[in-house]
Amino acid sequence: MTNHSETTGPSENGDITADTGDISLGSPAFDDHQVTLRTPAELADALPYLLGYRPEDSIVLVALTDQDGRGRFGGRARLGIPANADDWPSAARQLVHGLVTGSERRGARPGQMVAYLCQEPPAGASGRQVMERLRPLAHQVRVECGNLDVPVVEALCISDGRFWSYCCDNEACCPAEGVAMGLPGTSVVAAAATYAGIQVRGTLRELRARLLPRENSAALEQEVALDTASMALVSRILDDASRADVAEETIHLAERIMSRFAEAPAATGTLTADLRDDELLGADEAATLILGLQDRATRDRAAEWMEGDEAGPALRLWRALARRCAGPYGEHAAAPLTLAGWVAWSTGDELEAREAFAMALGADPDYLFARLLHQACNQGLDPESVRRCLRAERAERGRRQENGTGPGPDPDKATESPATTEPDPAPEPTRRRPRPRVTSTAKNRHRTTHGTRPRSTRPRPAAKDGGQRRASRAGGVRPARGTTEGEE
């Protein structure tokens, strides 16, 4: 149990007991610089450095494993706090079981847990009221941990710049009005994290904002551009004779824009940088790329820009395209969001990768590429295996071009990355707007029904074997508030 009789700071007898102790903040650079936490205040201050961001509306569990008689922080898992209290028991069960089983899979079953409940009060309410409202949820988390024989040694509520302990009712150390959090960046944990190169990047809301469509006057212009490009491109993508040409046009356009991004002057701050990229990308260009990336083969070629000098401009481009999937084209964001997540994961940013994959599945729950990568990232797999497959395909395509056989796949050597293999659905131009559409051919008919929800016009490539087409896709679960969003 943490030492509730000590204040933050050094103390001769203030070290927490063997239940929790020296910790690693999750960075290889930090492994040789352990930090001892002595009080609940230091545990509260450590949370952003354990996650890499400041959680909001979240339940966070941190596993503690025994190492030489002292506790060490292990896996972490976060879950959005469900708005409906009736969902709290199932949410607690999901979070606890997910973290424990994930830790066991890595060979380090937790011996204890530290739990955090983070939520800001609504207008007119106080942090103490939030703490009291969430008390049943904290109790449920402790019960679920106890059911798995993993005791919770500390449970903290962080709200409105203060924290409360659900494990201590001693007014001397845990008063009813809570304890004020220290100034950000002033604690020993913050100093050690800075030395180790660990950065806290704001909140998940700020991270997601970089990937969400802009709600401004430019959104209407972008929607018109997408409508126009759709009429020109969808039929070409669905046509076997012209699909390869569209793929080449899409790849070459993306390369030109990536070069444009790379040559642009540096910008300070994420918002300024994103606005600069938005200005460098025309609405027509964005529309052409968004629709072109709906073809799986084209998307897989774009995924090859995953390392070295290509990775930075590619990640900026995928973010910018995700921000352009406006109005009824929201489902089209699955492709650029997945590509953004892949490049982030490939370059070591697991936080952005998880959020981008989850958002891609929110846009299209059946998007298998996102689901496979999301699962691999959450399981702590090394992205190098995927990189090797993509490098091999790129090298093979280069050899075919040198031999004059063209950029397309060799019909006698149809290979795919095992990490990204998906079933080939039939051409399925689906409905996007509740209005009649004019059909061009019987093969690629666009059917509509009045009064139905607008759906995507994303082209579905034909099966490669030329035989019976497979239309089945694996089922997916839409990540939403109240679902697990990642485990480290």
Side-chain angles (χ1 to χ4, degrees), residues 16-32:
I16 50 183
T17 68
D19 290 340
T20 54
D22 295 345
I23 65 170
S24 169
L25 295 184
S27 167
F30 202 79
D31 286 345
D32 296 329

Side-chain angles (χ1 to χ4, degrees), residues 211-214 219 222-223 226-227 290-291 294 321-338 356 358-365 367 431-433 453-458 460 478:
L211 302 170
L212 288 172
R214 300 289 192 227
Q222 186 62 64
E223 187 176 337
L226 284 162
D227 281 339
I290 289 169
L291 291 166
Q294 305 310 307
L321 292 179
R323 294 193 295 268
R324 297 298 186 94
C325 294
Y329 289 90
E331 187 179 335
H332 289 65
L337 284 170
T338 304
M359 291 174 68
L361 290 171
D364 183 353
Y367 205 67
R431 301 182 299 274
R432 181 178 52 79
R433 291 182 177 278
R453 179 178 66 85
R455 296 185 61 193
S456 167
T457 55
R458 290 192 298 148
R460 308 292 186 183
R478 181 187 299 269

Side-chain angles (χ1 to χ4, degrees), residues 85-246:
D86 292 339
D87 295 328
W88 289 357
S90 60
R93 189 175 308 111
Q94 177 185 352
L95 183 66
V96 172
H97 283 250
L99 180 55
V100 171
T101 56
S103 299
E104 288 176 336
R105 188 169 56 245
R106 295 176 176 83
R109 191 179 196 276
Q112 299 166 323
M113 292 280 193
V114 176
Y116 299 86
L117 302 182
C118 308
Q119 190 173 75
E120 290 304 300
S126 66
R128 182 177 179 180
Q129 289 173 315
V130 171
M131 181 272 294
E132 292 294 349
R133 188 178 68 84
L134 296 179
R135 187 181 292 275
L137 176 56
H139 175 72
Q140 194 65 45
V141 170
R142 297 174 70 183
V143 168
E144 292 296 336
C145 287
N147 289 340
L148 297 180
D149 295 324
V150 183
V152 174
V153 296
E154 186 60 278
L156 299 175
C157 177
I158 300 175
S159 181
D160 199 21
R162 309 182 76 83
F163 73 86
W164 290 260
S165 171
Y166 290 114
C167 297
C168 178
D169 55 6
N170 187 341
E171 280 286 330
C173 60
C174 297
E177 65 273 14
V179 179
M181 299 280 291
L183 293 174
T186 60
S187 68
V188 63
V189 175
T194 300
Y195 181 78
I198 300 171
Q199 297 181 349
V200 177
R201 299 186 300 170
T203 66
L204 287 181
R205 185 179 304 170
E206 294 168 346
L207 179 59
R208 293 190 189 106
R210 305 192 70 183
L211 302 170
L212 288 172
R214 300 289 192 227
E215 295 181 0
N216 52 28
S217 57
L220 180 59
E221 177 189 0
Q222 186 62 64
E223 187 176 337
V224 171
L226 284 162
D227 281 339
T228 303
S230 178
M231 290 186 289
L233 289 178
V234 170
S235 59
R236 294 182 62 204
I237 295 174
L238 292 171
D239 188 343
D240 292 340
S242 57
R243 184 182 303 131
D245 292 337
V246 176

Side-chain angles (χ1 to χ4, degrees), residues 232-427:
L233 289 178
V234 170
S235 59
R236 294 182 62 204
I237 295 174
L238 292 171
D239 188 343
D240 292 340
S242 57
R243 184 182 303 131
D245 292 337
V246 176
E248 288 301 310
E249 294 165 8
T250 302
I251 293 297
H252 291 158
L253 176 58
E255 289 174 334
R256 290 198 301 272
I257 296 173
M258 286 168 55
S259 298
R260 189 184 307 165
F261 280 7
E263 295 167 0
T268 303
T270 57
L271 178 59
T272 304
D274 290 345
L275 290 174
R276 173 206 56 198
D277 291 345
D278 289 340
E279 292 175 355
L280 293 172
L281 178 63
D284 293 338
E285 293 173 325
T288 298
L289 290 177
I290 289 169
L291 291 166
L293 290 172
Q294 305 310 307
D295 176 64
R296 196 189 71 185
T298 307
R299 179 208 64 198
D300 288 352
R301 283 185 63 182
E304 295 168 2
W305 301 320
M306 59 192 172
E307 55 191 345
D309 294 337
E310 294 175 330
L315 179 56
R316 289 164 55 188
L317 176 57
W318 308 144
R319 288 180 187 141
L321 292 179
R323 294 193 295 268
R324 297 298 186 94
C325 294
Y329 289 90
E331 187 179 335
H332 289 65
L337 284 170
T338 304
L339 289 170
W342 161 237
V343 177
W345 185 32
S346 177
T347 54
D349 189 349
E350 293 187 5
L351 174 59
E352 180 169 359
R354 289 191 184 95
E355 288 305 308
F357 292 146
M359 291 174 68
L361 290 171
D364 183 353
D366 295 329
Y367 205 67
L368 188 56
F369 188 44
R371 186 142 37 86
L372 292 171
L373 293 176
H374 194 206
Q375 181 179 4
C377 183
N378 277 341
Q379 290 178 350
L381 301 182
D382 189 345
E384 178 59 22
S385 59
V386 183
R387 285 194 293 258
R388 282 197 298 266
C389 292
L390 292 173
R391 290 190 200 109
E393 291 189 11
R394 190 174 192 175
E396 176 64 21
R397 188 173 58 255
R399 285 191 291 270
R400 289 196 301 270
Q401 289 176 322
E402 290 178 1
N403 295 334
T405 57
D410 189 334
D412 297 325
K413 293 182 62 177
T415 61
E416 292 186 359
S417 162
T420 60
T421 299
E422 302 175 25
D424 293 317

Side-chain angles (χ1 to χ4, degrees), residues 26-80:
S27 167
F30 202 79
D31 286 345
D32 296 329
H33 305 278
Q34 293 183 339
V35 174
T36 300
L37 301 184
R38 298 178 172 86
T39 68
E42 289 180 333
L43 279 176
D45 183 78
L47 180 58
Y49 302 99
L50 292 170
L51 299 178
Y53 61 93
R54 301 186 185 279
E56 298 177 315
D57 292 334
S58 301
I59 320 166
V60 179
L61 275 183
V62 181
L64 297 175
T65 57
D66 181 76
Q67 186 177 63
D68 300 326
R70 304 181 71 90
R72 185 180 179 90
F73 281 159
R76 285 86 76 192
R78 188 200 76 88
L79 196 66

